Amino acid sequence: MAYTIDRYPCEESPRLGAMTLQPTPESVPRARRWFRKFIAPYNPACSVDDCVLMISELVTNAIRYGRADEPWLVRVEWFREETSLRVDVHNLGFPANVRLRRPDANDAHGRGLLLVDSIAESWHAGPSRFGGTVVSFVVADAWPS
C-alpha cells in the first residue's frame, strides 16, 4: 500500500488525523494536500499555509535523510492540545541526531528546520513511540480559547 489516512480518530483522543506515507518524493505534495483537506473541518485560526510549509519540510527531511535496513514509512499526525496545534512527523529510518543547522548562503540544503524554528511556537526531536525518530512542531493559538 502506498499510503493510508486516518480520517476519523476517536472522540476521546486529541489526535485530529494521521497519514502514513511511503518515503518517496511524491509523498511530499500528498502530505500537503491531505493536511489541508483534513484540517479544514476543524477550522483552525492559525495559518494553514505555514503548517503546510513546515509539514512539507519535515516530510522532505524524513525522506531525504531517512535510512533503514528494512522497508519503512513516514507517519504524520496532528493533534489539538487546548488552543494549540501539534504536528508530529515520525520516521522509522530517521537518524536520532536531528539538529538545527545554520547553512551558508550558497548551501543548497539545510534550511528545513530553520524554517520550522522561525515559524512554529516550538519544535522538538526525539525518539518516536513507533521506533526511530519524531520531529514535532507546535503552533500556538490555533483555536480560540
Side-chain angles (χ1 to χ4, degrees), residues 82-105:
E82 297 179 14
T83 62
S84 296
L85 170 68
R86 187 184 91 227
V87 177
D88 297 346
V89 178
H90 301 267
N91 185 338
L92 297 179
F94 203 80
N97 60 349
V98 177
R99 70 187 197 293
L100 186 64
R101 293 180 50 203
R102 302 286 181 194
D104 291 331

Side-chain angles (χ1 to χ4, degrees), residues 53-123:
L53 174 61
M54 291 187 286
I55 289 169
S56 182
E57 292 297 332
L58 294 182
V59 170
T60 298
N61 284 352
I63 293 167
R64 181 176 182 85
Y65 300 112
R67 306 260 187 298
D69 294 332
E70 55 193 56
W72 52 278
L73 299 170
V74 175
R75 181 166 175 84
V76 181
E77 301 178 296
W78 49 99
F79 302 83
R80 182 174 180 167
E81 296 179 334
E82 297 179 14
T83 62
S84 296
L85 170 68
R86 187 184 91 227
V87 177
D88 297 346
V89 178
H90 301 267
N91 185 338
L92 297 179
F94 203 80
N97 60 349
V98 177
R99 70 187 197 293
L100 186 64
R101 293 180 50 203
R102 302 286 181 194
D104 291 331
N106 295 332
D107 289 343
H109 304 287
R111 291 175 181 78
L113 277 178
L114 195 57
L115 280 169
V116 172
D117 186 61
S118 66
I119 297 170
E121 175 75 20
S122 63
W123 69 275

